Every structure is written in C-alpha cells, then in structure tokens.
Amino acid sequence: GPVICEMVFSLPRPKSAPKAVKHQARKPDLSKLVRATEDALTDAGVWEDDARVVGFANTRKVFAGGSDPDALPVPGAVIRIWEAK
C-alpha cells in the first residue's frame, strides 16, 4: 500500500567548510539522493515499486557527526518508512 518515507543523509563535512556552516548545501543534490535510494529500496524488495511513496517527512542532508539528532557519526543514511493513513 501507500507509504511515507523519511530519509536523512549524513554526508562528510568538507575540510574547507567553516564550523559556522550548519547545512550541507553542495552536491550531491537531495533529489538525486532520494531517487537513488528509492531505486535501491525497490531492488532490495522493501517495496514493489517506489510509486507507492506518497509523501516524504523531513527528508534532508546533514553533516556526518553533526548536531542533527539523526546525523550518523560516519557517512550513511537513516531511512524510516511507514504506512500512509
């Protein structure tokens, strides 16, 4: 059935980025990360087709090891999927 997704991508902080920079606003762009992740979840059999995704909740890019509560200590992703009501 229809699902809602949340994806939080922890990306490495560039060495050149000042500590005052709070948001990862460089490549890769968020929409490409989402599309690639949807395709990977389809290939893994998590769902039959990514067309079942009817919404996204708080999907974002953060710095690995950063202050975001979902930031991982190393690059990676936190993915949450739940049934749409």
Tab-separated table of all heavy atoms in Angstrom, residues 36-81:
chain	number	residue	atom	x	y	z
A	36	ALA	N	17.944	7.741	-5.994
A	36	ALA	CA	18.841	6.586	-5.936
A	36	ALA	C	18.461	5.657	-4.784
A	36	ALA	O	18.498	4.423	-4.921
A	36	ALA	CB	20.287	7.050	-5.790
A	37	THR	N	18.068	6.234	-3.658
A	37	THR	CA	17.669	5.432	-2.508
A	37	THR	C	16.355	4.701	-2.773
A	37	THR	O	16.206	3.525	-2.429
A	37	THR	CB	17.567	6.308	-1.248
A	37	THR	OG1	18.836	6.947	-1.036
A	37	THR	CG2	17.209	5.485	-0.025
A	38	GLU	N	15.401	5.382	-3.407
A	38	GLU	CA	14.145	4.716	-3.784
A	38	GLU	C	14.422	3.518	-4.688
A	38	GLU	O	13.861	2.441	-4.492
A	38	GLU	CB	13.213	5.689	-4.502
A	38	GLU	CG	12.560	6.707	-3.622
A	38	GLU	CD	11.709	7.684	-4.425
A	38	GLU	OE1	12.078	8.018	-5.566
A	38	GLU	OE2	10.674	8.099	-3.889
A	39	ASP	N	15.291	3.701	-5.672
A	39	ASP	CA	15.634	2.606	-6.584
A	39	ASP	C	16.295	1.450	-5.831
A	39	ASP	O	16.005	0.275	-6.079
A	39	ASP	CB	16.543	3.093	-7.711
A	39	ASP	CG	15.836	4.009	-8.693
A	39	ASP	OD1	14.586	4.043	-8.696
A	39	ASP	OD2	16.542	4.712	-9.454
A	40	ALA	N	17.188	1.771	-4.895
A	40	ALA	CA	17.867	0.731	-4.124
A	40	ALA	C	16.870	-0.027	-3.240
A	40	ALA	O	16.962	-1.254	-3.107
A	40	ALA	CB	18.971	1.347	-3.269
A	41	LEU	N	15.904	0.681	-2.656
A	41	LEU	CA	14.894	0.023	-1.824
A	41	LEU	C	13.988	-0.873	-2.667
A	41	LEU	O	13.565	-1.941	-2.210
A	41	LEU	CB	14.080	1.067	-1.058
A	41	LEU	CG	14.862	1.823	0.026
A	41	LEU	CD1	14.035	2.993	0.550
A	41	LEU	CD2	15.269	0.906	1.157
A	42	THR	N	13.717	-0.453	-3.896
A	42	THR	CA	12.941	-1.296	-4.815
A	42	THR	C	13.740	-2.558	-5.149
A	42	THR	O	13.214	-3.676	-5.064
A	42	THR	CB	12.592	-0.529	-6.109
A	42	THR	OG1	11.835	0.634	-5.762
A	42	THR	CG2	11.791	-1.395	-7.066
A	43	ASP	N	15.014	-2.392	-5.516
A	43	ASP	CA	15.866	-3.546	-5.844
A	43	ASP	C	16.011	-4.507	-4.659
A	43	ASP	O	16.114	-5.716	-4.844
A	43	ASP	CB	17.253	-3.086	-6.291
A	43	ASP	CG	17.238	-2.387	-7.638
A	43	ASP	OD1	16.215	-2.481	-8.361
A	43	ASP	OD2	18.243	-1.722	-7.967
A	44	ALA	N	16.007	-3.962	-3.432
A	44	ALA	CA	16.165	-4.782	-2.228
A	44	ALA	C	14.859	-5.471	-1.830
A	44	ALA	O	14.854	-6.292	-0.912
A	44	ALA	CB	16.664	-3.924	-1.074
A	45	GLY	N	13.755	-5.123	-2.495
A	45	GLY	CA	12.480	-5.755	-2.194
A	45	GLY	C	11.744	-5.150	-1.009
A	45	GLY	O	10.821	-5.756	-0.475
A	46	VAL	N	12.156	-3.958	-0.588
A	46	VAL	CA	11.476	-3.302	0.531
A	46	VAL	C	10.041	-2.971	0.149
A	46	VAL	O	9.132	-3.070	0.969
A	46	VAL	CB	12.250	-2.035	0.972
A	46	VAL	CG1	11.470	-1.233	1.989
A	46	VAL	CG2	13.618	-2.435	1.513
A	47	TRP	N	9.850	-2.584	-1.106
A	47	TRP	CA	8.512	-2.376	-1.651
A	47	TRP	C	8.520	-2.831	-3.094
A	47	TRP	O	9.580	-3.043	-3.680
A	47	TRP	CB	8.080	-0.916	-1.534
A	47	TRP	CG	9.080	0.098	-2.035
A	47	TRP	CD1	9.776	0.082	-3.208
A	47	TRP	CD2	9.512	1.264	-1.363
A	47	TRP	NE1	10.603	1.151	-3.316
A	47	TRP	CE2	10.457	1.914	-2.183
A	47	TRP	CE3	9.189	1.847	-0.153
A	47	TRP	CZ2	11.073	3.103	-1.819
A	47	TRP	CZ3	9.810	3.031	0.193
A	47	TRP	CH2	10.738	3.638	-0.638
A	48	GLU	N	7.331	-2.988	-3.630
A	48	GLU	CA	7.212	-3.479	-5.000
A	48	GLU	C	7.633	-2.418	-6.006
A	48	GLU	O	8.259	-2.717	-7.018
A	48	GLU	CB	5.764	-3.901	-5.263
A	48	GLU	CG	5.532	-4.531	-6.610
A	48	GLU	CD	4.093	-4.975	-6.761
A	48	GLU	OE1	3.570	-5.613	-5.834
A	48	GLU	OE2	3.508	-4.671	-7.819
A	49	ASP	N	7.264	-1.168	-5.726
A	49	ASP	CA	7.522	-0.073	-6.660
A	49	ASP	C	7.590	1.224	-5.878
A	49	ASP	O	6.772	1.456	-4.980
A	49	ASP	CB	6.377	-0.012	-7.679
A	49	ASP	CG	6.618	0.952	-8.819
A	49	ASP	OD1	7.468	1.854	-8.675
A	49	ASP	OD2	5.963	0.802	-9.861
A	50	ASP	N	8.561	2.082	-6.214
A	50	ASP	CA	8.670	3.352	-5.484
A	50	ASP	C	7.502	4.299	-5.782
A	50	ASP	O	7.356	5.332	-5.140
A	50	ASP	CB	10.017	4.036	-5.719
A	50	ASP	CG	10.327	4.318	-7.168
A	50	ASP	OD1	9.462	4.117	-8.035
A	50	ASP	OD2	11.465	4.742	-7.436
A	51	ALA	N	6.637	3.922	-6.704
A	51	ALA	CA	5.418	4.703	-6.943
A	51	ALA	C	4.492	4.651	-5.731
A	51	ALA	O	3.592	5.482	-5.603
A	51	ALA	CB	4.692	4.194	-8.184
A	52	ARG	N	4.725	3.703	-4.820
A	52	ARG	CA	3.909	3.603	-3.610
A	52	ARG	C	4.222	4.716	-2.605
A	52	ARG	O	3.480	4.913	-1.649
A	52	ARG	CB	4.100	2.248	-2.946
A	52	ARG	CG	3.646	1.113	-3.852
A	52	ARG	CD	3.495	-0.169	-3.077
A	52	ARG	NE	3.179	-1.280	-3.959
A	52	ARG	CZ	1.958	-1.628	-4.302
A	52	ARG	NH1	0.941	-0.942	-3.864
A	52	ARG	NH2	1.751	-2.663	-5.091
A	53	VAL	N	5.339	5.406	-2.793
A	53	VAL	CA	5.690	6.517	-1.901
A	53	VAL	C	4.773	7.693	-2.235
A	53	VAL	O	4.782	8.207	-3.348
A	53	VAL	CB	7.169	6.935	-2.061
A	53	VAL	CG1	7.485	8.115	-1.158
A	53	VAL	CG2	8.089	5.758	-1.774
A	54	VAL	N	3.964	8.097	-1.250
A	54	VAL	CA	3.013	9.182	-1.469
A	54	VAL	C	3.437	10.464	-0.756
A	54	VAL	O	2.803	11.504	-0.920
A	54	VAL	CB	1.581	8.788	-1.043
A	54	VAL	CG1	1.083	7.640	-1.910
A	54	VAL	CG2	1.504	8.451	0.435
A	55	GLY	N	4.511	10.393	0.034
A	55	GLY	CA	4.978	11.598	0.713
A	55	GLY	C	6.307	11.375	1.399
A	55	GLY	O	6.753	10.240	1.600
A	56	PHE	N	6.946	12.495	1.737
A	56	PHE	CA	8.218	12.481	2.458
A	56	PHE	C	8.073	13.333	3.706
A	56	PHE	O	7.409	14.363	3.692
A	56	PHE	CB	9.354	13.026	1.585
A	56	PHE	CG	9.737	12.097	0.480
A	56	PHE	CD1	9.205	12.253	-0.786
A	56	PHE	CD2	10.606	11.051	0.708
A	56	PHE	CE1	9.532	11.384	-1.810
A	56	PHE	CE2	10.939	10.180	-0.310
A	56	PHE	CZ	10.408	10.347	-1.568
A	57	ALA	N	8.701	12.889	4.774
A	57	ALA	CA	8.663	13.619	6.037
A	57	ALA	C	10.084	14.007	6.423
A	57	ALA	O	10.913	13.134	6.664
A	57	ALA	CB	8.038	12.755	7.120
A	58	ASN	N	10.364	15.270	6.423
A	58	ASN	CA	11.626	15.799	6.948
A	58	ASN	C	12.866	15.156	6.323
A	58	ASN	O	13.845	14.877	7.016
A	58	ASN	CB	11.639	15.662	8.475
A	58	ASN	CG	12.501	16.706	9.131
A	58	ASN	OD1	12.899	17.688	8.518
A	58	ASN	ND2	12.800	16.502	10.396
A	59	THR	N	12.831	14.886	5.042
A	59	THR	CA	13.981	14.332	4.329
A	59	THR	C	15.016	15.436	4.163
A	59	THR	O	14.680	16.558	3.785
A	59	THR	CB	13.524	13.758	2.979
A	59	THR	OG1	12.683	12.634	3.258
A	59	THR	CG2	14.682	13.311	2.124
A	60	ARG	N	16.294	15.127	4.470
A	60	ARG	CA	17.302	16.185	4.489
A	60	ARG	C	18.722	15.633	4.371
A	60	ARG	O	18.942	14.446	4.545
A	60	ARG	CB	17.168	17.014	5.766
A	60	ARG	CG	17.357	16.210	7.042
A	60	ARG	CD	16.734	16.926	8.248
A	60	ARG	NE	16.963	16.226	9.490
A	60	ARG	CZ	16.226	15.230	9.955
A	60	ARG	NH1	15.213	14.767	9.253
A	60	ARG	NH2	16.505	14.660	11.111
A	61	LYS	N	19.656	16.561	4.107
A	61	LYS	CA	21.091	16.268	4.105
A	61	LYS	C	21.685	16.935	5.344
A	61	LYS	O	21.356	18.080	5.648
A	61	LYS	CB	21.795	16.859	2.881
A	61	LYS	CG	21.320	16.347	1.560
A	61	LYS	CD	22.184	16.849	0.408
A	61	LYS	CE	22.144	18.353	0.229
A	61	LYS	NZ	22.914	18.816	-0.933
A	62	VAL	N	22.554	16.219	6.041
A	62	VAL	CA	23.224	16.758	7.218
A	62	VAL	C	24.699	16.379	7.148
A	62	VAL	O	25.091	15.522	6.356
A	62	VAL	CB	22.590	16.234	8.529
A	62	VAL	CG1	21.117	16.635	8.615
A	62	VAL	CG2	22.729	14.729	8.659
A	63	PHE	N	25.492	17.000	7.996
A	63	PHE	CA	26.897	16.627	8.086
A	63	PHE	C	27.048	15.431	9.019
A	63	PHE	O	26.464	15.407	10.108
A	63	PHE	CB	27.749	17.781	8.616
A	63	PHE	CG	27.943	18.900	7.641
A	63	PHE	CD1	27.534	20.181	7.944
A	63	PHE	CD2	28.553	18.678	6.411
A	63	PHE	CE1	27.718	21.218	7.046
A	63	PHE	CE2	28.737	19.705	5.504
A	63	PHE	CZ	28.321	20.981	5.828
A	64	ALA	N	27.820	14.432	8.593
A	64	ALA	CA	28.136	13.291	9.457
A	64	ALA	C	28.820	13.814	10.716
A	64	ALA	O	29.679	14.693	10.649
A	64	ALA	CB	29.038	12.300	8.728
A	65	GLY	N	28.397	13.303	11.864
A	65	GLY	CA	28.980	13.746	13.126
A	65	GLY	C	28.466	15.092	13.591
A	65	GLY	O	28.944	15.624	14.592
A	66	GLY	N	27.482	15.644	12.887
A	66	GLY	CA	26.957	16.961	13.220
A	66	GLY	C	25.942	16.913	14.342
A	66	GLY	O	25.695	15.876	14.964
A	67	SER	N	25.306	18.057	14.588
A	67	SER	CA	24.403	18.192	15.728
A	67	SER	C	22.970	17.724	15.446
A	67	SER	O	22.174	17.631	16.368
A	67	SER	CB	24.381	19.649	16.186
A	67	SER	OG	23.889	20.471	15.132
A	68	ASP	N	22.639	17.436	14.196
A	68	ASP	CA	21.293	16.945	13.897
A	68	ASP	C	21.069	15.647	14.658
A	68	ASP	O	21.954	14.795	14.716
A	68	ASP	CB	21.161	16.711	12.380
A	68	ASP	CG	19.755	16.353	11.970
A	68	ASP	OD1	19.349	15.187	12.197
A	68	ASP	OD2	19.065	17.227	11.425
A	69	PRO	N	19.887	15.471	15.266
A	69	PRO	CA	19.649	14.251	16.046
A	69	PRO	C	19.746	12.956	15.238
A	69	PRO	O	20.003	11.894	15.802
A	69	PRO	CB	18.238	14.430	16.604
A	69	PRO	CG	17.666	15.628	15.971
A	69	PRO	CD	18.761	16.385	15.301
A	70	ASP	N	19.552	13.027	13.927
A	70	ASP	CA	19.655	11.835	13.086
A	70	ASP	C	20.986	11.722	12.362
A	70	ASP	O	21.178	10.807	11.564
A	70	ASP	CB	18.512	11.811	12.059
A	70	ASP	CG	17.178	11.500	12.706
A	70	ASP	OD1	17.136	10.624	13.586
A	70	ASP	OD2	16.180	12.141	12.339
A	71	ALA	N	21.915	12.635	12.625
A	71	ALA	CA	23.229	12.568	11.971
A	71	ALA	C	23.983	11.337	12.466
A	71	ALA	O	24.060	11.074	13.663
A	71	ALA	CB	24.036	13.831	12.257
A	72	LEU	N	24.501	10.589	11.524
A	72	LEU	CA	25.330	9.435	11.862
A	72	LEU	C	26.762	9.905	12.106
A	72	LEU	O	27.169	10.950	11.587
A	72	LEU	CB	25.298	8.425	10.713
A	72	LEU	CG	23.920	7.828	10.399
A	72	LEU	CD1	23.988	7.002	9.120
A	72	LEU	CD2	23.427	7.001	11.564
A	73	PRO	N	27.559	9.136	12.853
A	73	PRO	CA	28.948	9.544	13.084
A	73	PRO	C	29.814	9.439	11.832
A	73	PRO	O	30.860	10.076	11.737
A	73	PRO	CB	29.430	8.596	14.179
A	73	PRO	CG	28.482	7.447	14.156
A	73	PRO	CD	27.186	7.951	13.606
A	74	VAL	N	29.375	8.637	10.880
A	74	VAL	CA	30.079	8.448	9.613
A	74	VAL	C	29.060	8.626	8.482
A	74	VAL	O	27.858	8.562	8.715
A	74	VAL	CB	30.736	7.048	9.529
A	74	VAL	CG1	31.812	6.892	10.588
A	74	VAL	CG2	29.704	5.949	9.648
A	75	PRO	N	29.496	8.834	7.239
A	75	PRO	CA	28.539	8.975	6.134
A	75	PRO	C	27.623	7.757	6.017
A	75	PRO	O	28.040	6.617	6.220
A	75	PRO	CB	29.442	9.117	4.909
A	75	PRO	CG	30.701	9.728	5.446
A	75	PRO	CD	30.879	9.087	6.800
A	76	GLY	N	26.358	8.029	5.727
A	76	GLY	CA	25.362	6.974	5.588
A	76	GLY	C	23.974	7.583	5.566
A	76	GLY	O	23.825	8.787	5.334
A	77	ALA	N	22.963	6.778	5.819
A	77	ALA	CA	21.584	7.276	5.777
A	77	ALA	C	20.733	6.599	6.836
A	77	ALA	O	20.905	5.418	7.118
A	77	ALA	CB	20.977	7.043	4.406
A	78	VAL	N	19.820	7.380	7.394
A	78	VAL	CA	18.763	6.869	8.262
A	78	VAL	C	17.496	6.919	7.421
A	78	VAL	O	17.137	7.974	6.893
A	78	VAL	CB	18.599	7.730	9.536
A	78	VAL	CG1	17.396	7.259	10.341
A	78	VAL	CG2	19.865	7.705	10.376
A	79	ILE	N	16.841	5.767	7.270
A	79	ILE	CA	15.647	5.678	6.434
A	79	ILE	C	14.516	5.124	7.277
A	79	ILE	O	14.646	4.057	7.872
A	79	ILE	CB	15.888	4.769	5.201
A	79	ILE	CG1	17.069	5.285	4.390
A	79	ILE	CG2	14.624	4.661	4.359
A	79	ILE	CD1	17.592	4.287	3.382
A	80	ARG	N	13.411	5.871	7.307
A	80	ARG	CA	12.224	5.418	8.023
A	80	ARG	C	11.071	5.348	7.022
A	80	ARG	O	10.895	6.269	6.233
A	80	ARG	CB	11.876	6.380	9.140
A	80	ARG	CG	12.926	6.428	10.235
A	80	ARG	CD	12.507	7.384	11.358
A	80	ARG	NE	13.529	7.447	12.366
A	80	ARG	CZ	14.433	8.418	12.479
A	80	ARG	NH1	14.403	9.438	11.643
A	80	ARG	NH2	15.337	8.407	13.430
A	81	ILE	N	10.312	4.276	7.083
A	81	ILE	CA	9.187	4.061	6.178
A	81	ILE	C	7.998	3.629	7.014
A	81	ILE	O	8.133	2.733	7.860
A	81	ILE	CB	9.515	2.971	5.132
A	81	ILE	CG1	10.773	3.329	4.351
A	81	ILE	CG2	8.328	2.758	4.188
A	81	ILE	CD1	11.350	2.181	3.551
